[in-house]
Amino acid sequence: MDKWLGNTNVVRVVALILGIMLWGIVHLEEMNTGTTSVSSGIREDKINEVSITPKYDAGQYLISSMEPSKVTVLLKGRDSALRKVSTVSYQVVLDLTNVKEGEHTLPLQAIGFPSSVEVQIIPDRVKVTLEKQERKEVPVVINVRGTPGTGLKAGQPIVKPNKVNVTLPASRLDEVDSVVGEINVDKATSAVSKQVKLQAIGQNGRELTVDINPAVVDVEVPITSPFKTVPLQLKYIGIPAKGFSVASVTPEKDKVTVYGTQENVDKLEFYQGPDIDLTGLSESKELSMTMPLRGAVTQVDPPQLKVRVEIVPTTTKAFENVPLTIIGQNDAYDTKIAVPETGHVNLLLDGAQSILDSLSQQDIQALVNVSNLPPGRHDVPVMLNLPAFVQRGLTPELRATVEIEAKPGAAGAGVGAGAGVTGDGAAAGGAAGGTPATGGDTGTGNPGVDAGTPAASTGTPAAGQ
């Protein structure tokens, strides 16, 4: 070996082989990295498909177009400097912070590269269109899917918040038709609570890509028995103390929600609430009463009802020339009032001053019932159908004389006048809110009326009046 190393020709051959190997290694590395070496020790690198990072107020503006969206970056510098270039540290930036809406051609900036590296961006300018963003408040619509457990019903979804903001360019503001979410209640037996992701829907029914804030809302769907909201009806029993009258009855609610089977709640047109006992009242009073469960109703909301009863001293007012109305007539007979000849009566009525002052003759019915009376002349009592909380005053008993005779050629002559009573008589009594009966005029009775609305009394005669 020492002889070989001492041979000049052998050393030259080894040196030549080593030089060729080093040359090949250097050029192979340049081919793999795309780096061009120059004789001065400076080399070049090229980075393709570099994304542009725009800087702008995304709350106010939207970039509707940018051309190009990616660029090529050429780097030039010493190898030691180029090795410091990291993809996580550099950016190609488009500064739009001081740019207003519209179309602009702007320069790009290279940020995050070592100062010893020369950077060239190709192309170095881009064309960008900036649109102003608008914000619109839109109600949230929750679509309930599925069917709850047997006999149960999904209630109205409770959404928090129930309105959200959508942000999009002013030119597209009218595109948003609604913001919707969906919740499934299939086979649920209790309330369903869930966070629901929202989506904006356009006028064509398609989903729109817009910013929604917040994008997720809390939704709760109550699961209950079938229910229905109906007017509340109250029934009054008894009368106030002597010398006092009811001026008004005001319930806290005039409608209630009733629960039960679907078949039963569908039949309800109103709900009979608790009986209001007026017996012996001599001063105003607030009553708190439990709502009764009637029929197949399983629940009533509210379960408790507060009722304000206003009691005032009784006043008396005269009503003159109140017309007498005949009920219970047979179509085969002519029936007329013989006494009084005018067919009218004068009345004294008791009640609260405010109620009496609001009455007109149309609110009062003086009824003569001829049901089941045969042809001839008959003396019958006059019955009164009066508004709720109004009573007959100290008036002598009212009576009238009626004459009944068969119509000429009418079939069925000789049969009792009331044998074929038409529905008109019953209708007349019902329209006044009561069921007239022979033997006297009506009292205040037990009126069943819509909550807070005084109405006619029942048709039970008030004995001795």
Side-chain angles (χ1 to χ4, degrees):
M1 178 66 69
D2 292 338
K3 292 181 179 181
W4 286 8
L5 293 177
N7 189 319
T8 304
N9 292 331
V10 172
V11 173
R12 288 176 179 175
V13 171
V14 171
L16 178 61
I17 292 173
L18 290 175
I20 293 173
M21 291 176 63
L22 290 174
W23 182 88
I25 292 171
V26 171
H27 281 271
L28 181 61
E29 182 179 352
E30 290 178 354
M31 291 174 63
N32 291 334
T33 61
T35 302
T36 303
S37 177
V38 294
S39 58
S40 61
I42 302 298
R43 62 187 182 90
E44 295 179 352
D45 275 350
K46 180 169 69 173
I47 307 174
N48 297 315
E49 298 293 312
V50 178
S51 297
I52 298 172
T53 302
K55 288 189 175 181
Y56 66 105
D57 186 350
Q60 290 191 1
Y61 295 100
L62 172 75
I63 296 176
S64 58
S65 67
M66 183 168 60
E67 185 62 34
S69 60
K70 294 184 178 181
V71 295
T72 298
V73 177
L74 296 180
L75 304 177
K76 188 175 181 180
R78 295 188 177 278
D79 183 70
S80 58
L82 293 178
R83 291 182 184 277
K84 295 179 181 179
V85 176
S86 171
T87 56
V88 298
S89 63
Y90 70 81
Q91 288 181 324
V92 174
V93 174
L94 174 62
D95 189 358
L96 301 170
T97 53
N98 295 317
V99 177
K100 302 298 182 182
E101 59 183 312
E103 186 178 290
H104 309 275
T105 300
L106 301 171
L108 298 173
Q109 301 174 2
I111 296 177
F113 291 93
S115 57
S116 57
V117 174
E118 182 181 329
V119 181
Q120 181 183 0
I121 303 172
I122 303 174
D124 62 350
R125 303 175 73 85
V126 296
K127 182 183 290 186
V128 62
T129 301
L130 206 61
E131 286 192 62
K132 190 170 182 61
Q133 296 265 53
E134 294 286 349
R135 181 173 295 176
K136 178 180 179 180
E137 188 176 65
V138 181
V140 176
V141 177
I142 298 298
N143 295 323
V144 180
R145 306 295 185 193
T147 303
T150 304
L152 300 177
K153 182 177 181 180
Q156 184 69 26
I158 302 169
V159 187
K160 297 180 181 180
N162 60 2
K163 293 182 179 180
V164 295
N165 292 315
V166 295
T167 304
L168 66 169
S171 60
R172 298 177 53 205
L173 199 61
D174 293 335
E175 290 183 13
V176 178
D177 185 64
S178 60
V179 172
V180 302
E182 185 174 302
I183 189 169
N184 193 312
V185 298
D186 198 44
K187 299 181 180 179
T189 58
S190 60
V192 178
S193 299
K194 187 179 179 181
Q195 286 192 316
V196 176
K197 184 178 180 181
L198 303 177
Q199 60 183 23
I201 304 298
Q203 296 177 351
N204 58 2
R206 296 181 179 178
E207 184 177 354
L208 300 176
T209 302
V210 300
D211 179 61
I212 303 175
N213 186 29
V216 176
V217 295
D218 294 320
V219 179
E220 179 177 341
V221 181
I223 304 297
T224 64
S225 300
F227 60 89
K228 184 178 182 180
T229 299
V230 294
L232 173 64
Q233 188 178 65
L234 297 178
K235 184 178 179 181
Y236 308 100
I237 57 176
I239 59 175
K242 186 176 181 180
F244 294 91
S245 295
V246 177
S248 65
V249 177
T250 308
E252 184 180 32
K253 301 281 186 180
D254 60 0
K255 292 183 179 181
V256 294
T257 301
V258 292
Y259 297 79
T261 65
Q262 191 68 58
E263 179 182 3
N264 287 321
V265 299
D266 286 344
K267 294 177 182 178
L268 292 176
E269 295 182 0
F270 62 87
Y271 191 72
Q272 184 74 49
D275 294 343
I276 309 299
D277 190 356
L278 306 175
T279 303
L281 293 182
S282 59
E283 60 182 4
S284 298
K285 191 174 183 180
E286 184 173 271
L287 306 175
S288 182
M289 313 183 74
T290 299
M291 197 71 70
L293 298 179
R294 303 187 188 277
V297 171
T298 59
Q299 180 183 343
V300 181
D301 187 28
Q304 296 288 325
L305 180 69
K306 291 183 178 180
V307 180
R308 175 71 179 175
V309 181
E310 291 290 337
I311 301 294
V312 297
T314 297
T315 59
T316 301
K317 184 175 182 180
F319 290 84
E320 298 181 347
N321 296 320
V322 177
L324 293 172
T325 301
I326 299 174
I327 61 173
Q329 300 178 78
N330 189 308
D331 290 341
Y333 294 85
D334 284 326
T335 304
K336 64 179 180 180
I337 303 292
V339 180
E341 294 181 357
T342 61
H344 293 74
V345 293
N346 297 329
L347 303 176
L348 287 177
L349 301 180
D350 289 348
Q353 185 70 53
S354 59
I355 294 179
L356 294 177
D357 288 345
S358 66
L359 292 183
S360 65
Q361 282 192 2
Q362 288 72 28
D363 301 317
I364 304 167
Q365 282 191 319
L367 305 174
V368 177
N369 189 355
V370 298
S371 299
N372 299 318
L373 293 180
R377 190 178 180 93
H378 304 277
D379 180 64
V380 295
V382 175
M383 300 178 299
L384 299 180
N385 262 340
L386 303 174
F389 315 133
V390 175
Q391 300 184 50
R392 178 185 173 193
L394 296 177
T395 304
E397 181 182 8
L398 298 175
R399 301 190 72 83
T401 301
V402 297
E403 291 182 350
I404 303 173
E405 59 182 22
K407 293 180 180 179
V415 180
V421 177
T422 67
D424 296 338
T435 306
T438 304
D441 44 83
T442 66
T444 53
N446 299 328
V449 297
D450 284 347
T453 307
S457 313
T458 62
T460 305
Q465 295 184 332

